[in-house]
Amino acid sequence: MIAVLDPVQVAARPEPNPTEELQKTVSASRLNCWLQCRLKFFFRYVLQLPRPPSAAMFVGSIAHQVLQQWNHGRWRKEPFQTEKFKAWFDSQWTEEQKTSKIKWDDDQADERASAWKTLEHYFLETPIKADERPEAVEVPVEADLSHHGLPRLIGILDLVRAGGTIVDFKVTGKTPDPEQAIHQHEIQLSCYGVLYRDATSRKEAGLELHHLVRTKTPKLIVTRIGPITQQQETRLFKVMESYVDGVGRQDFVPSPSFGCAGCEYFTECRRWS
Ligand code: SF4
């Protein structure tokens, strides 16, 4: 049984967030943004400056929506129909661009064809059988960590497979190295483990990263990880402590790096002092 969180608690709020509120509730996305660049965190979560998604984020979002439909279909024991997912993909691709102006780096038609080809490949190669009924799909969850002196942790579990394996989907242009992938997504995976245990009073069977790789010939890389360890939980809690302390001090300084090339707040950052 998984605790359901009121959707308004995870929705972006239109007005600037006071830092006290950001100290009370954290998510993997907030922690990752904080670790990446505290000034970016300030623009995104404190000022909440609206920005259209990048082309890569847009493609990832559409692919996630198709996968969500697929997961819900298995939950409802519906037969698998590629045409249904293709129709959903096509309609969302068009519909979402009515409200978001995407800056395409490459030809949009090519991007669209490549995105669908990658999804088709996933459906052929996925280790999840067509009749495997999920334990949970797109479930908002929360964990009260006040007994650790920490803020409330919130998140959404994309998919929990039958038997308690948590799956996270990634759409990427590069083939991931499994060890690096586990390291880079450690905060998110640890958050999932803590959230799952708090919601179900059970330890997860493991975690899986399903990388849908958008190379010329699409690939699927599945990285399997055991249940999160005590060390990983401790590392997550220390990151959360550091986050609360830094937000409280309003320590919003820039962290220039290679990642700045794709930062949506580059212009504002250059004006900051
Ligand atoms: S451009 Fe770089 S340093 Fe500036 S806010 Fe973005 S990520 Fe941070």
Side-chain angles (χ1 to χ4, degrees):
M1 170 97 163
I2 288 183
V4 176
L5 178 67
D6 184 338
V8 296
Q9 289 177 289
V10 291
R13 301 191 320 176
E15 71 276 6
N17 248 328
T19 49
E20 297 81 41
E21 181 54 35
L22 288 164
Q23 287 177 283
K24 284 182 195 155
T25 308
V26 299
S27 64
S29 307
R30 284 184 187 179
L31 289 173
N32 278 329
C33 184
W34 174 262
L35 292 173
Q36 189 188 356
C37 175
R38 286 165 279 174
L39 185 57
K40 185 174 184 175
F41 176 92
F42 174 73
F43 291 138
R44 183 178 289 174
Y45 291 106
V46 180
L47 296 188
Q48 299 187 93
L49 299 180
R51 286 292 178 276
S54 65
M57 284 164 67
F58 177 81
V59 170
S61 163
I62 301 292
H64 272 87
Q65 290 178 45
V66 172
L67 293 167
Q68 189 181 348
Q69 291 295 311
W70 171 64
N71 289 326
H72 278 300
R74 292 199 323 287
W75 171 261
R76 293 189 291 259
K77 299 185 179 177
E78 292 170 357
F80 179 86
Q81 294 172 303
T82 309
E83 320 78 60
K84 190 178 81 179
F85 300 126
K86 179 68 166 68
W88 176 270
F89 173 88
D90 285 336
S91 85
Q92 291 306 103
W93 191 281
T94 306
E95 202 55 37
E96 297 221 348
Q97 288 194 72
K98 289 180 182 167
T99 49
S100 290
K101 181 90 183 131
I102 308 299
K103 197 166 156 232
W104 294 101
D105 302 324
D106 298 312
D107 183 69
Q108 184 185 166
D110 291 346
E111 292 278 333
R112 182 172 176 155
S114 143
W116 175 249
K117 206 169 141 190
T118 305
L119 279 164
E120 270 188 313
H121 180 76
Y122 180 78
F123 290 136
L124 281 175
E125 298 294 324
T126 177
I128 300 174
K129 290 197 169 62
D131 61 353
E132 181 184 305
R133 197 156 187 242
E135 183 177 309
V137 177
E138 293 291 323
V139 187
V141 280
E142 66 176 23
D144 178 357
L145 301 177
S146 55
H147 50 292
H148 292 288
L150 293 170
R152 193 168 50 127
L153 179 64
I154 62 171
I156 295 178
L157 300 176
D158 285 354
L159 170 66
V160 182
R161 294 183 64 178
T165 295
I166 303 166
V167 177
D168 192 44
F169 300 104
K170 304 283 181 201
V171 179
T172 175
K174 287 189 186 154
T175 305
D177 170 79
E179 194 178 348
Q180 281 294 321
I182 293 168
H183 179 68
Q184 286 166 14
H185 299 295
E186 177 187 332
I187 296 296
Q188 189 178 24
L189 296 170
S190 299
C191 285
Y192 286 159
V194 169
L195 286 166
Y196 181 83
R197 291 174 192 190
D198 189 85
T200 63
S201 303
R202 278 188 284 129
K203 189 188 273 192
E204 69 283 1
L207 300 104
E208 289 179 0
L209 286 168
H210 289 201
H211 277 95
L212 285 70
V213 190
R214 294 177 61 215
T215 37
K216 198 169 175 190
T217 303
K219 291 185 217 167
L220 167 63
I221 307 288
V222 176
T223 307
R224 295 189 170 86
I225 308 140
I228 65 160
T229 62
Q230 186 60 54
Q231 186 213 14
Q232 286 168 322
E233 186 181 275
T234 302
R235 281 161 66 99
L236 171 64
F237 288 176
K238 287 189 173 175
V239 167
M240 288 173 72
E241 278 171 11
S242 168
Y243 163 93
V244 171
D245 180 54
V247 172
R249 285 186 285 107
Q250 307 210 4
D251 185 8
F252 303 127
V253 293
S255 302
S257 70
F258 291 120
C260 296
C263 178
E264 64 270 39
Y265 302 110
F266 186 84
T267 306
E268 289 81 0
C269 178
R270 295 305 303 158
R271 292 195 197 117
W272 178 87
S273 62

